[in-house]
Amino acid sequence: MAYGLKVFDANGDVRLDTSDRMIRYHSVVSGTITQSSSPISVYVAGIQNNGTWGVSNDVPLSGSYSSSDDVKVEFGATNYLTLTIQHSYTGDFAYRIQIFRI
């Protein structure tokens, strides 16, 4: 007999099983980036490009042209994210990135 825990809904369907992965909040990084400094590397302890991490670029904190699409977020080397400004606007772009373990 196998050991573990399963969670069922009212219809008897399995909603959570031992083979499922749960998302866990890791951290948040924020700051500003300028066109002249783009791209930049941002240190995040433990993050890797191995399919078990995820990021969410929130709506930036400030900037007259800013939206969450203005700063592209990619996994860089181990422990780093690479942020790149997507448009040719001048000025500072604020970012706020939430990091999750998937």
Side-chain angles (χ1 to χ4, degrees):
M1 182 172 159
Y3 293 94
L5 174 70
K6 289 186 180 184
V7 177
F8 298 88
D9 65 12
N11 298 321
D13 298 320
V14 176
R15 291 295 172 205
L16 181 64
D17 198 349
T18 56
S19 62
D20 295 339
R21 295 190 69 148
M22 300 292 292
I23 294 176
R24 180 176 46 128
Y25 178 80
H26 181 269
S27 59
V28 65
V29 293
S30 60
T32 57
I33 180 175
T34 63
Q35 190 72 42
S36 62
S37 67
S38 177
I40 63 170
S41 293
V42 177
Y43 180 79
V44 180
I47 199 168
Q48 299 177 30
N49 187 8
N50 63 5
T52 65
W53 293 88
V55 296
S56 172
N57 187 13
D58 289 351
V59 175
L61 302 173
S62 65
S64 57
Y65 299 106
S66 294
S67 77
S68 61
D69 296 330
D70 287 336
V71 179
K72 181 179 179 183
V73 181
E74 297 177 296
F75 290 95
T78 299
N79 295 322
Y80 287 92
L81 293 173
T82 301
L83 280 53
T84 308
I85 293 179
Q86 295 296 99
H87 305 289
S88 59
Y89 302 127
T90 59
D92 294 347
F93 287 84
Y95 61 86
R96 183 177 186 272
I97 301 166
Q98 296 185 53
I99 297 114
F100 301 90
R101 187 74 191 257
I102 303 171

